């Protein structure tokens, strides 16, 4: 069973240790963590490792993933990171807190909360420059006023998300802006905002270089926990494991071939016209792994193997040595895109590694 390929090997103990390290670090300045599970499709064992490592919430962008974790018996406050309007009823049913930026969505959530005899908790997202989700700062006071008039909605916090679409870095300036907003909204509406959620794995540098985190008391972390890096420069965070996920694929051909295709060049499988460099005869290795299994550009291969190209079901590598044979296993580590696509593919089997060897899902 352990030799199924392609497979992704997942070290739960490394994920738990990363979470413990980050929880401890953020807690020193009073910042709690939401563990973000969307890149691993809400895999329950990974959520459990995050919870054992100290996160106070589990956050995911998809209701399906949250249901998967709840069905596996996980009980901790669940946060929905993205709010599709049409799923308001099931969001109220299954999610404790959702992030919001549209009054129409909040009305729907309030309507269904009333029908289910509940109060739905929300975090309002503020637009601080990255231009993905967020209420414009000039509209925020009016937005709060409207939201507070909804009978079955409770505002429990405010948040922002940077470095996702626009690549805008979290820094002292935009984080202070968020804190000032909190002060002024609390003052205007005579309320306490419990959760001030300042960002994601991109907030690491800001957090480390500022003694004072002002009002920020929560951060939502996915990539740092899973891959051990921050996301502004993709630098490893010292003390964290970076190899919790390993993709293993099978070599199905290994031959010396010319590096230049012969014949007239038209479009490849994906409609691109490829170009080639003549490097003479080279050892070429083909993996039974392709675009339907992973995002090949998100993989980093061991053994100095050089990525040449891929199609739906094959990855072609240039090998500096000729000792790789059909039937061998090739390992790759993953970046965020590689992890997301691999975990999403139904063709890649997931294995958890622990001290006793491998256990399949
Ligand atoms: C995905 C996501 C996160 C987590 O981002 P990482 O870079 O993986 O830490 C946090 N907040 C929101 C709103 C997200 O969509």
């Amino acid at each position: 069973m352990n030799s199924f390929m392609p497979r992704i090997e997942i070290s739960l103990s490394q994920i738990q240790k990363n979470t413990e390290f980050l929880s401890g670090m953020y807690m020193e300045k009073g910042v709690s963590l939401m563990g973000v599970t969307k890149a691993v499709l809400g895999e329950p064992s990974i959520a459990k490792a995050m919870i054992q490592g100290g996160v106070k919430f589990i956050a995911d962008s998809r209701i399906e993933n949250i249901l998967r974790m709840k069905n596996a018996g996980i009980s901790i406050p669940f946060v929905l990171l993205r709010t599709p309007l049409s799923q308001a009823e099931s969001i109220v049913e299954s999610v404790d807190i959702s992030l919001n930026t549209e009054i129409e969505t909040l009305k729907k959530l309030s309507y269904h909360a009333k029908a289910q005899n509940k109060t739905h908790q929300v975090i309002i997202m503020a637009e601080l420059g990255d231009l993905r989700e967020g209420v414009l700062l000039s509209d925020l006071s009016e937005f709060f006023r409207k939201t507070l008039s909804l009978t079955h909605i409770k505002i429990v916090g405010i948040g922002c998300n940077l470095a996702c679409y626009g690549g805008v870095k979290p820094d002292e300036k935009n984080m202070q802006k968020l804190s000032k907003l909190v002060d002024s909204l609390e003052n205007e509406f005579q309320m306490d905002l419990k959760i001030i959620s300042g960002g994601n794995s991109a907030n690491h540098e800001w957090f480390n270089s500022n003694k004072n985190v002002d009002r920020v008391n929560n951060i939502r972390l996915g990539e740092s926990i899973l891959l051990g890096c921050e996301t502004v420069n993709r630098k490893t965070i010292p003390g964290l494991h970076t190899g919790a996920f390993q993709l293993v694929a099978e070599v199905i051909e290994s031959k010396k071939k010319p590096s230049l295709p012969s014949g007239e060049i038209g479009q490849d499988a994906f409609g691109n016209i490829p170009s080639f460099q003549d490097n003479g005869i080279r050892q070429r290795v083909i993996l039974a792994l392709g675009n339907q299994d992973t995002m090949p550009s998100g993989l980093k291969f061991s053994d100095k193997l050089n990525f040449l190209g891929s199609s739906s079901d094959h990855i072609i590598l240039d090998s500096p040595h000729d000792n790789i044979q059909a039937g061998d296993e090739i390992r790759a580590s993953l970046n965020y895109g590689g992890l997301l696509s691999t975990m999403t593919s139904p063709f890649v089997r997931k294995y958890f590694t622990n001290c006793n060897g491998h256990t399949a899902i």
Side-chain angles (χ1 to χ4, degrees), residues 243-278:
F245 297 86
Q246 290 270 312
L247 180 55
V248 187
E250 183 174 29
V251 174
I252 52 172
E253 185 185 298
S254 177
K255 289 187 196 307
K256 283 198 175 5
K257 289 189 186 179
S259 39
L260 209 55
S262 50
E264 202 179 327
I265 306 280
Q267 291 188 354
D268 68 10
F270 292 93
N272 307 306
I273 298 187
S275 63
F276 300 94
Q277 214 186 326
D278 190 356

Side-chain angles (χ1 to χ4, degrees), residues 36 38-39 59 61 81-82 99 125 132-133 160-161 163-164 199-202 219-226 231 234 336:
V36 177
K38 66 188 184 203
S61 50
L81 296 173
R82 187 184 71 171
L99 308 189
M125 296 297 275
R132 200 178 74 180
E133 72 275 38
C160 72
N161 196 59
C164 261
N200 52 40
S201 296
I219 295 282
R220 311 173 302 275
L221 292 184
E223 186 164 344
S224 294
I225 292 176
L226 300 170
T231 56
R234 291 272 162 7
Y336 192 76

Side-chain angles (χ1 to χ4, degrees), residues 127 129-133 161-169 200 202:
E127 169 57 63
D130 199 55
L131 297 182
R132 200 178 74 180
E133 72 275 38
N161 196 59
L162 295 170
C164 261
Y165 169 72
V168 173
K169 289 188 198 178
N200 52 40

Side-chain angles (χ1 to χ4, degrees), residues 120-187:
H120 182 67
Q121 306 181 84
V122 300
I123 292 174
I124 307 296
M125 296 297 275
E127 169 57 63
L128 284 180
D130 199 55
L131 297 182
R132 200 178 74 180
E133 72 275 38
V135 178
L136 291 170
L137 302 193
S138 52
D139 298 338
L140 210 48
S141 155
E142 176 70 2
F143 193 88
F144 259 61
R145 196 182 58 69
K146 283 186 183 152
T147 307
L148 287 168
S149 75
L150 299 171
T151 51
H152 290 70
I153 295 290
K154 182 173 166 53
I155 302 178
V156 292
I158 188 164
C160 72
N161 196 59
L162 295 170
C164 261
Y165 169 72
V168 173
K169 289 188 198 178
D171 58 17
E172 212 177 330
K173 212 167 142 195
N174 47 38
M175 287 298 112
Q176 268 175 9
K177 209 184 227 178
L178 180 67
S179 295
K180 289 219 177 81
L181 271 173
V182 174
D183 290 340
S184 87
L185 288 164
E186 284 186 340
N187 201 16

Side-chain angles (χ1 to χ4, degrees), residues 193-233:
L193 290 166
K194 276 196 309 215
I195 304 173
I196 319 299
S197 193
N200 52 40
S201 296
N203 282 61
H204 185 79
E205 203 172 281
W206 158 79
F207 181 82
N208 258 346
S209 55
N210 286 280
K211 262 213 169 93
N212 186 0
V213 294
D214 288 314
R215 298 289 312 269
V216 174
N217 64 13
N218 178 268
I219 295 282
R220 311 173 302 275
L221 292 184
E223 186 164 344
S224 294
I225 292 176
L226 300 170
L227 298 177
C229 63
E230 51 79 45
T231 56
V232 168
N233 303 301

